[in-house]
Amino acid sequence: MWPKLGERDFSAHITAILNAKPEAVFSSLWGGDLIAFIKQANAYGFFDKVQFISTGGGDLDILEPLGAEMPNGILATFAYAFDYLPVKKEQNEKFIEEFKKRAGYLPKSGDIFGYVSTYVMADAIKKAGSTDSAKLGAALRGSQYETLLGDITVREFDGQGTFSYNIGFTYSDPKYPFKRLKDVTRANGADVLPSKEEVEKIRTDAKKKGG
């Protein structure tokens, strides 16, 4: 199903999904769209009937606004969490403490990406000796970085960064007014991204089709 961006009435989508009786629903809704969907779907008992899988639903940007309205048991991905620090634990804890002191709230995924990206771009500017976008792109390719999100490589052949990602199940944590994630699995980008051979095949097939 393809709800329009900014949709605020998901009733037709919710009833259509429930009538199809799926075992699971995979959703890439995000931000206000995802928050609106979950709030409306709760009224239908939606999450008691299907396993909901949400990309980005485990980010604090979603969990905090929903609070107790976020159902338990949703399988949700997240890029960063203040209470899940699988790499550079000590540095992460210092970052969280300093960020909260300056900003007044816990860091969300966008905050950590902005922090990491600033250092990455500063390094690229230094390498390129320029802020020209083409030169920066060339300087980034093949570079490696140690970050609070883990070690990453910007792949030479497609410019893709090998950031890791996480997935777990939402649950009620009495320490917080919003849901947290448990049974978390971490996927390293280098292990799950398409290989160079796969990327080249996709490009070749696209050219054959005139893409």
Side-chain angles (χ1 to χ4, degrees), residues 198-211:
E198 290 171 319
V199 170
E200 288 175 348
K201 184 179 185 305
I202 291 169
R203 288 171 172 169
T204 300
D205 291 345
K207 286 180 180 179
K208 288 179 179 178
K209 294 176 181 178

Side-chain angles (χ1 to χ4, degrees), residues 82-164:
F82 64 92
D83 59 347
Y84 176 69
L85 307 173
V87 295
K88 304 188 182 300
K89 190 172 188 295
E90 186 177 339
Q91 295 98 313
N92 256 305
E93 287 174 346
K94 287 181 180 177
F95 167 76
I96 291 165
E97 181 183 3
E98 185 65 23
F99 184 92
K100 192 174 180 182
K101 188 189 302 180
R102 295 190 185 194
Y105 61 89
L106 288 164
K108 299 177 173 65
S109 293
D111 301 314
I112 190 67
F113 275 121
Y115 178 80
V116 168
S117 298
T118 298
Y119 281 96
V120 170
M121 290 307 297
D123 182 72
I125 291 169
K126 185 178 179 181
K127 286 179 180 176
S130 170
T131 56
D132 177 77
S133 58
K135 291 179 180 178
L136 288 176
L140 280 168
R141 287 178 181 253
S143 57
Q144 296 181 319
Y145 302 94
E146 294 182 6
T147 81
L148 295 183
L149 292 168
D151 295 342
I152 64 165
T153 298
V154 181
R155 302 197 304 188
E156 180 69 42
F157 60 91
D158 65 355
Q160 173 69 53
T162 60
F163 285 99
S164 298

Side-chain angles (χ1 to χ4, degrees), residues 9-85:
D9 181 5
F10 287 97
S11 55
H13 302 89
I14 293 166
T15 53
I17 291 170
L18 290 175
N19 288 337
K21 298 183 177 358
E23 292 182 23
V25 171
F26 177 87
S27 169
S28 58
L29 291 174
W30 169 246
D33 290 9
L34 177 59
I35 291 169
F37 177 88
I38 288 176
K39 286 184 173 183
Q40 293 170 38
N42 276 333
Y44 291 79
F46 183 92
F47 303 101
D48 296 324
K49 299 169 185 174
V50 298
Q51 174 63 63
F52 192 64
I53 304 165
S54 171
T55 58
D59 284 322
L60 210 53
D61 311 70
I62 304 300
L63 297 173
E64 272 194 323
L66 279 171
E69 291 185 89
M70 170 63 88
N72 288 328
I74 285 181
L75 185 58
T77 67
F78 64 97
Y80 182 78
F82 64 92
D83 59 347
Y84 176 69
L85 307 173

